Amino acid sequence: MTDQVFQTISMALYLLAMIGIGLWAYRKNDSVDDYMLGGRQLNPAVAALSAGASDMSGWLLMGLPGALYANGLVESWIAIGLTVGAWLNWKFVAPRLRSYTEVSNNSITVPSFLDSRLRDSTHSLRIVSGLVILFFFTFYVSSGMVAGGVFFHAAFGTSYLSGMLLVATVTIIYTILGGFLAVSWTDLVQGVMMLLALVFVPIMGLVVVDGPSAAIESAQLLNSNWQSLIGDTTVTFAGIIGIFSALAWGLGYFGQPHIIVRFMALRKPAEAKAARRIGIGWMVLSILGAMGTALVGVAYAQQSGEGLLDNPEQVFIYMGQILFHPLIAGFMLAAILAAIMSTISSQLLVSSSALVEDIYSVFVHQKLSEKHGVMLSRAGVILISIIAALLAISPSDTILELVAFAWAGFGGAFGPVVLLSLFWRKLTTSGALSGMVVGSVVVVLWSNLSGGIFDLYEIVPGFLANLIFAVIVSALTYTENPTITAEFEATKQLVKNWDDRTEALQTVDATTSTDRYTPRSTR
C-alpha cells in the first residue's frame, strides 16, 4: 500500500471514533443541563484535557512549532504567558466559579451566571453577553473550518471545499448527538493524541540528529540567535512591546467562555486542584514537545542540506512523515485535525448555548420542556454551523489575526467582569455592563491602530479599560442586596468545605425567597 493509503486509514479510524463517542453520549442527554454542561459530572482528567484541547487548537501543533522553527526561542513568550494564565485560571477561578454557578440559580452558561449573580432584572447584561459570544464564536468556528479545509488540501491533496465540509460534518455530528459530554470526551481523546504526537516526534527526531547537543549546534549554524529569548541582542522599544504583548495572551484565559465552562462542569470545587495539575502538566509537556519539534526540524534541515521549509508551519507534518511509518504518520496528522476539531466543537456548543439559553430564552415567557430545550440546542448548533460554513467557503488569509482578535475580544469583554463577579461583592449590573462594552470597544479600536504603543496587543488596553470602568461605575451605583450577599458568602463557604453544600444552599434559598428577581430559563 502507498503512504497515502496508510494515512487515509489512520484518519478514517480517528473520524469514526469521534462519531462513536457522539453516539455513546447521545443516550446520556436527558435535559438541557446534561446537553450544555454534562450534568456537572466531569472528572478532573476529562475537564483538564478538555479545556486544554479546546484551548490550544492547531496553534499547538502548527503555529507554535512553525514560529519557533523560523525565529527561535524568542517566539516562546506566548507559550509562557498562556501557561501562567492557565495556571492562575485553574487556581483561583475554577473552584470559585464551580461553586458560585450552582449557588446562583444553578447557572449553566457564563451570561446566565452574570445575569443571576448581579440580579439584572432587565436581562440586558445576559443579552449583550450572549450576542458578544455569538458574534465572535461564529467567526471563530469559521476560522477552524477553514483550517480543516487547508489541512486536508495540504496533507491529502483534496480540494479545500471537500476537506472543509468533511471536518465540519464530522464535528457537527458528534456535537449534535452528544452535546457537552461528547465534546468533553472527544477532547480527552484529542488531547491525548496531541500530547503523544508532540512527545514522540522530538524524541525520535533527536535520535536522528544525534542528540540534543548536536541539534542545538545545528540550529545555531542556521540561526545564531535561535536560543535567545530576546532574538536580536539589541533590545528595542518595539522588542519590549512584542514580548509584553506575547505574555499578555495569558490575560485572555479569564474571559474565554469555551474554557471556563469546563470549570462549571466539575463534580465539585475541590477537584479543580487535581484538574489543575493534570491540565498544566499536559500543557507544559505539550509546549516542550512543540519546542522540541521545532529544534529537531531546524537541525534536520541543516544536517540534511535540504534547507528550511518554505512554510514553517508544516514542520510537524514534515518531521512526522520522515520519522514514522505511514500508518503512524497518519495518526500524527490526525492529531493536528484533533486539535482543530476540539476547538470547533467547544465553540459550537458555547455559541448554541448563547443563542438558546441566553438570547432566545429571555424573550420566551413560557417554560420549555427539557426535550424541547435539548432540541432547540441541537438546532442552534446546526444554525451556527451553517453560517460558519458559508463564511468558510471562501478561505480567508487572516485566520491567525482573527483568532488573536477574538481571544482579545473575549478577554477584554469578559475577563475583568468574571473576576470581579467572583471576588468582589460590590460589582453591579451597571458596572459589569459598562466594563464589558468599553472593554470590547477598546479592543476593536486598538486593533485597528499601529505604531509605537499601539503595537501593544489589544487585550491589554481592553482588559484595563473594562476593569477601570467596572470598578468605578459599580462603586457609584452599588446598593446592598441581601440575596447577593448571601450567595457571595455561601460561595466562599463551599469553596472551603463542599460538605456544607446542603446547609449553604438552604441558607441562600431562605434569603432568595424574599427576592422578587426571577431569571428566565429554558430549564
Side-chain angles (χ1 to χ4, degrees):
M1 289 190 290
T2 64
D3 290 359
Q4 184 112 354
V5 172
F6 277 115
Q7 292 175 6
T8 301
I9 291 172
S10 301
M11 193 65 63
L13 289 173
Y14 161 72
L15 293 175
L16 289 173
M18 297 302 100
I19 295 176
I21 293 174
L23 289 170
W24 165 77
Y26 176 77
R27 295 175 296 174
K28 297 180 178 294
N29 288 309
D30 298 321
S31 66
V32 177
D33 281 19
D34 291 338
Y35 191 79
M36 293 295 187
L37 211 56
R40 296 188 192 267
Q41 290 300 310
L42 284 195
N43 65 56
V46 176
L49 294 188
S50 178
S54 62
D55 161 28
M56 288 300 184
S57 188
W59 172 82
L60 185 61
L61 288 98
M62 298 181 72
L64 179 58
L68 292 163
Y69 178 85
N71 303 312
L73 293 182
V74 68
E75 299 289 350
S76 63
W77 288 107
I78 290 180
I80 295 171
L82 288 174
T83 303
V84 173
W87 187 89
L88 292 172
N89 211 21
W90 275 110
K91 173 68 175 178
F92 297 105
V93 175
R96 195 89 166 199
L97 187 64
R98 171 59 183 89
S99 299
Y100 218 145
T101 51
E102 184 166 354
V103 167
S104 191
N105 196 43
N106 194 31
S107 306
I108 63 173
T109 67
V110 173
S112 65
F113 164 65
L114 294 175
D115 181 73
S116 177
R117 154 70 175 87
L118 298 173
R119 289 304 188 267
D120 178 15
S121 58
T122 67
H123 305 295
S124 56
L125 182 60
R126 186 170 185 174
I127 294 172
V128 171
S129 301
L131 290 173
V132 169
I133 289 173
L134 199 59
F135 174 77
F136 279 115
F137 271 151
T138 298
F139 289 94
Y140 218 153
V141 169
S142 179
S143 71
M145 291 181 179
V146 171
V150 171
F151 164 79
F152 266 99
H153 177 69
F156 294 96
T158 64
S159 70
Y160 161 80
L161 183 60
S162 61
M164 184 273 286
L165 291 176
L166 177 62
V167 171
T169 300
V170 174
T171 309
I172 292 166
I173 287 174
Y174 75 70
T175 304
I176 288 175
L177 289 174
F180 186 85
L181 196 60
V183 168
S184 297
W185 279 93
T186 53
D187 282 351
L188 173 67
V189 174
Q190 291 159 344
V192 171
M193 289 177 63
M194 292 160 65
L195 177 61
L196 291 176
L198 285 167
V199 167
F200 282 110
V201 167
I203 287 176
M204 293 299 295
L206 287 173
V207 173
V208 171
V209 300
D210 296 326
S213 298
I216 293 172
E217 289 176 8
S218 296
Q220 290 289 101
L221 290 174
L222 285 182
N223 180 355
S224 60
N225 293 318
W226 201 91
Q227 292 186 83
S228 174
L229 284 172
I230 59 173
D232 190 334
T233 54
T234 303
V235 179
T236 64
F237 177 75
I240 295 174
I241 289 292
I243 291 173
F244 191 72
S245 294
L247 288 171
W249 276 71
L251 285 175
Y253 271 110
F254 307 118
Q256 303 300 317
H258 62 302
I259 295 174
I260 62 177
V261 72
R262 266 70 185 172
F263 305 161
M264 297 159 61
L266 284 167
R267 290 178 299 201
K268 54 185 179 180
E271 292 187 339
K273 183 177 182 179
R276 181 181 77 245
R277 291 174 175 173
I278 295 169
I280 300 303
W282 176 90
M283 193 173 185
V284 170
L285 286 175
S286 297
I287 288 173
L288 290 175
M291 292 179 174
T293 298
L295 174 61
V296 298
V298 173
Y300 184 84
Q302 191 277 327
Q303 293 178 13
S304 66
E306 295 181 5
L308 295 173
L309 297 171
D310 292 334
N311 184 352
E313 291 190 342
Q314 292 185 5
V315 62
F316 177 83
I317 298 174
Y318 179 66
M319 295 306 297
Q321 291 174 330
I322 287 175
L323 297 170
F324 296 96
H325 183 277
L327 187 65
I328 304 300
F331 283 109
M332 297 291 179
L333 294 176
I336 298 175
L337 188 59
I340 296 170
M341 292 173 64
S342 63
T343 302
I344 294 176
S345 60
S346 297
Q347 293 169 347
L348 273 178
L349 200 62
V350 173
S351 300
S352 175
S353 68
L355 181 63
V356 176
E357 178 76 7
D358 302 316
I359 297 176
Y360 177 82
S361 68
V362 171
F363 297 102
V364 176
H365 296 282
Q366 72 273 21
K367 184 177 181 179
L368 300 176
S369 67
E370 296 292 356
K371 183 177 180 180
H372 193 188
V374 173
M375 182 185 69
L376 283 175
S377 300
R378 290 188 168 120
V381 170
I382 295 173
L383 176 61
I384 295 160
S385 299
I386 291 174
I387 297 173
L390 290 173
L391 292 172
I393 288 177
S394 298
S396 169
D397 58 359
T398 60
I399 297 172
L400 292 179
E401 288 82 2
L402 178 60
V403 170
F405 174 70
W407 183 269
F410 284 126
F414 290 115
V417 172
V418 168
L419 291 173
L420 290 172
S421 68
L422 295 176
F423 295 99
W424 190 42
R425 181 169 54 87
K426 296 184 178 181
L427 179 68
T428 65
T429 297
S430 298
L433 192 58
S434 61
M436 187 180 298
V437 171
V438 171
S440 301
V441 170
V442 169
V443 166
V444 172
L445 294 178
W446 197 279
S447 67
N448 287 290
L449 302 172
S450 61
I453 191 63
F454 294 112
D455 287 333
L456 180 66
Y457 186 24
E458 56 265 25
I459 195 173
V460 177
F463 191 98
L464 291 176
N466 183 332
L467 182 63
I468 292 169
F469 270 79
V471 170
I472 291 176
V473 175
S474 292
L476 294 174
T477 58
Y478 176 76
T479 56
E480 185 71 26
N481 183 308
T483 301
I484 291 177
T485 300
E487 289 183 352
F488 191 86
E489 294 303 321
T491 297
K492 291 196 299 183
Q493 180 182 347
L494 290 181
V495 171
K496 294 178 180 178
N497 189 357
W498 187 247
D499 293 335
D500 293 339
R501 178 170 174 267
T502 301
E503 180 183 347
L505 292 179
Q506 287 176 346
T507 302
V508 171
D509 287 341
T511 308
T512 307
S513 64
T514 61
D515 187 350
R516 307 319 304 168
Y517 172 82
T518 53
R520 298 183 180 91
S521 174
T522 58
R523 298 187 304 284

